[in-house]
Every structure is written in C-alpha cells, then in structure tokens.
Amino acid sequence: DRKEVMTLQEFSTFFDKHMQETVNDLLANYYKISDVLKTIEEGVLKTYTKRAPQMREYYYYWERRIYNALVKMILRALITLKTYLKRPKHK
C-alpha cells in the first residue's frame, strides 16, 4: 500500500489506465451477452437475428438490466472519485 499521496499527474495516469481497462472489460462482456442472447434466440426460435418480435420483451429486460448496472457503476465511481478528491480536514 502507498503511504504517500499521489501527485495530480500520477493520479490522472492511474485513473485513465483504470478507466480504460474497465471500459475494455465492459465491452468484452457486452459482446458476450449479445452472443448469448443470439444463441438463446437460435435455440428457441431457430433464428439468429436479435430482432425476433417474440423475443422483444426478453431483449428489453436484459437491455434494462445492463443499463441499470452501468448507471450504478457510474454513480459508484463518481462517489469514489468525490471521496478521493476530498481534502483532509486540518486540525
């Protein structure tokens, strides 16, 4: 663990790297979810379009779950950033 406070440049570099890694992980997982949904459609309806009208509600459900998860993640990140940026109180 670090005992010293990061400089602004170090923090910016750390934050940018972490953000890029997180975005890359999220994109990879998003594409996996899309493939799984297509596979489910193929198994149930014998189509592979991700546009089947019979699956509309199912796709909507998962789109909302993904959206809500992203919103939660962003809010947690903002709260964490706010905590990091708070200046310590002087005695």
Side-chain angles (χ1 to χ4, degrees):
D1 287 45
R2 278 182 79 110
K3 303 265 185 211
E4 298 175 18
V5 176
M6 288 185 202
T7 66
L8 182 58
Q9 181 63 40
E10 289 171 331
F11 179 77
S12 178
T13 301
F14 167 80
F15 188 79
D16 288 343
K17 181 181 175 192
H18 179 71
M19 184 177 62
Q20 190 59 52
E21 289 171 356
T22 302
V23 168
N24 290 342
D25 289 345
L26 287 170
L27 278 173
N29 288 329
Y30 177 77
Y31 290 125
K32 286 178 192 174
I33 290 169
S34 183
D35 289 341
V36 168
L37 292 174
K38 285 180 185 177
T39 302
I40 291 170
E41 178 185 326
E42 184 178 30
V44 172
L45 300 174
K46 308 297 184 233
T47 61
Y48 197 71
T49 65
K50 200 175 176 235
R51 291 188 186 99
Q54 302 92 328
M55 300 286 290
R56 180 173 287 144
E57 286 183 41
Y58 189 71
Y59 289 140
Y60 178 75
Y61 169 82
W62 284 107
E63 286 171 1
R64 294 304 302 171
R65 290 283 307 260
I66 292 167
Y67 175 80
N68 289 335
L70 288 171
V71 168
K72 268 188 196 178
M73 184 187 68
I74 290 167
L75 289 174
R76 286 180 183 154
L78 289 172
I79 291 168
T80 301
L81 179 61
K82 180 181 174 185
T83 302
Y84 285 146
L85 294 177
K86 278 187 179 177
R87 293 175 7 126
K89 293 181 182 179
H90 296 288
K91 293 183 181 181

